[in-house]
Amino acid sequence: MQRCILLLLSCFLCLGSALAKTRKFTNNEGKSITAELIGLEMDKAVFKLRNSRIAKIPLDTLAESDQKFINSWWEENKNKIGPMDLKMTIEKKTTRLSKTSSGGGNKGRSKKGQRGAQKTTTKDETQYVCQLKSYAKKNIPELTAKYTIYKRVTTRDKSGFRTITRGTDGQASIPAILPHGKTNFTTIRVTCEDVSQKAGQSGKKGKGGKGGNTSSSYKKEAIVGFVVTLSVDGKEFLKKSYPDTFLDRRKEEAEIEERKFRDDS
């Protein structure tokens, strides 16, 4: 468990260093922001802020040194595919596969007056549909999409509750997109199962006039998030999650687990 926590944290740290190329930019009034430069539109520099919001700032309002940096950056990157060239929207689709129940009722009673166990099982199937829309005036070359679908599994038995999160990885190849064109790709399907089981109940009354001992257990699986990364020629340039805040939540959970690990050590 401790090894998994450390591995998860190292992945977030590596991801942050790989994708976040932030820099401090200062305007003519001396006010500064720390952001990632991602584009240049006409006379405005486009920044991605720390909270993931996009800000567009007139170039002539920035310090001269920053204007030179932005112009140099643009000459180097204007022909490359960047986050501003492509918009990705994600739709989650869940389908009910089956729902079955068994046990309980008079049919479940034995000759000794015991009621059989009541069990309900539900199965759902979830996949994501991602739409890519180009805003570029140039062709976007073939892309590779690598994604992870996260499933949370909660179980309960005599020892109590236990919750873990598992990731299912997948990959898709996306053909080249024409200027201002669009295309879709779908992920693999992940099945979730909910099992609720209530133990049989004796007809013999115990103290207080109630029936014999009862116990119940269940397993609940649910899709809690989706993360997809697009890359061109092996270089990552766009990362998105569903819901939008899922990546931040995963990072917070990892930090909490790290603190617990340090406290327990």
Side-chain angles (χ1 to χ4, degrees):
M1 177 65 180
Q2 294 173 351
R3 184 179 178 183
C4 292
I5 294 170
L6 293 176
L7 180 60
L8 178 62
L9 287 169
S10 65
C11 288
F12 276 117
L13 291 174
C14 291
L15 177 64
S17 61
L19 294 182
K21 298 178 182 178
T22 58
R23 183 182 185 275
K24 182 179 286 187
F25 296 88
T26 306
N27 65 11
N28 295 329
E29 298 177 356
K31 297 180 180 180
S32 299
I33 61 169
T34 299
E36 179 186 1
L37 177 63
I38 61 174
L40 185 63
E41 293 183 0
M42 301 298 289
D43 59 346
K44 293 183 179 180
V46 184
F47 299 100
K48 184 177 181 181
L49 306 180
R50 287 179 172 178
N51 59 6
S52 296
R53 292 185 178 180
I54 302 299
K56 298 180 181 181
I57 300 176
L59 197 59
D60 59 6
T61 64
L62 297 173
E64 185 177 350
S65 59
D66 286 334
Q67 293 185 41
K68 290 181 179 180
F69 172 83
I70 293 170
N71 286 323
S72 175
W73 177 91
W74 177 245
E75 286 300 319
E76 182 181 350
N77 292 276
K78 63 183 179 181
N79 293 321
K80 296 180 181 179
I81 301 299
M84 296 299 294
D85 293 323
L86 200 64
K87 180 181 180 181
M88 177 164 53
T89 56
I90 302 172
E91 181 183 3
K92 179 181 178 182
K93 291 190 174 183
T94 300
T95 304
R96 172 63 52 85
L97 296 180
S98 64
K99 181 174 182 179
T100 58
S101 299
S102 62
N106 292 330
K107 293 182 180 180
R109 293 180 184 273
S110 68
K111 293 181 179 179
K112 293 183 179 181
Q114 292 181 334
R115 181 179 297 172
Q118 300 177 3
K119 182 178 180 180
T120 300
T121 302
T122 302
K123 289 186 177 181
D124 294 330
E125 188 177 71
T126 297
Q127 69 175 159
Y128 291 86
V129 179
C130 301
Q131 183 184 83
L132 306 178
K133 185 175 181 180
S134 170
Y135 286 89
K137 296 180 180 179
K138 53 184 176 289
N139 288 342
I140 293 180
E142 182 177 339
L143 304 171
T144 298
K146 294 183 179 179
Y147 58 83
T148 303
I149 301 173
Y150 291 90
K151 176 166 68 173
R152 182 165 293 166
V153 183
T154 302
T155 57
R156 183 180 67 185
D157 53 25
K158 293 180 181 179
S159 61
F161 287 92
R162 187 168 70 99
T163 299
I164 59 174
T165 300
R166 299 170 178 164
T168 301
D169 297 328
Q171 182 172 315
S173 295
I174 304 166
I177 306 173
L178 296 175
H180 303 290
K182 60 182 179 181
T183 188
N184 293 346
F185 74 90
T186 57
T187 68
I188 59 176
R189 294 178 173 86
V190 176
T191 301
C192 289
E193 184 179 62
D194 289 358
V195 181
S196 176
Q197 183 169 358
K198 188 174 183 180
Q201 195 174 48
S202 173
K204 185 178 179 180
K205 293 183 179 180
K207 292 183 180 181
K210 296 182 179 180
N213 293 332
T214 62
S215 62
S216 61
S217 63
Y218 76 82
K219 177 179 73 173
K220 182 177 179 62
E221 298 178 336
I223 302 299
V224 293
F226 170 69
V227 178
V228 58
T229 302
L230 299 182
S231 60
V232 177
D233 297 328
K235 296 181 180 180
E236 298 179 0
F237 77 95
L238 180 62
K239 189 179 186 71
K240 190 173 178 63
S241 68
Y242 183 97
D244 291 336
T245 57
F246 182 71
L247 275 175
D248 292 334
R249 294 208 315 263
R250 291 288 292 174
K251 186 176 180 180
E252 290 174 1
E253 290 172 359
E255 292 172 347
I256 292 172
E257 291 296 334
E258 182 193 23
R259 287 196 294 269
K260 289 182 180 178
F261 172 71
R262 289 201 303 262
D263 294 340
D264 293 339
S265 299

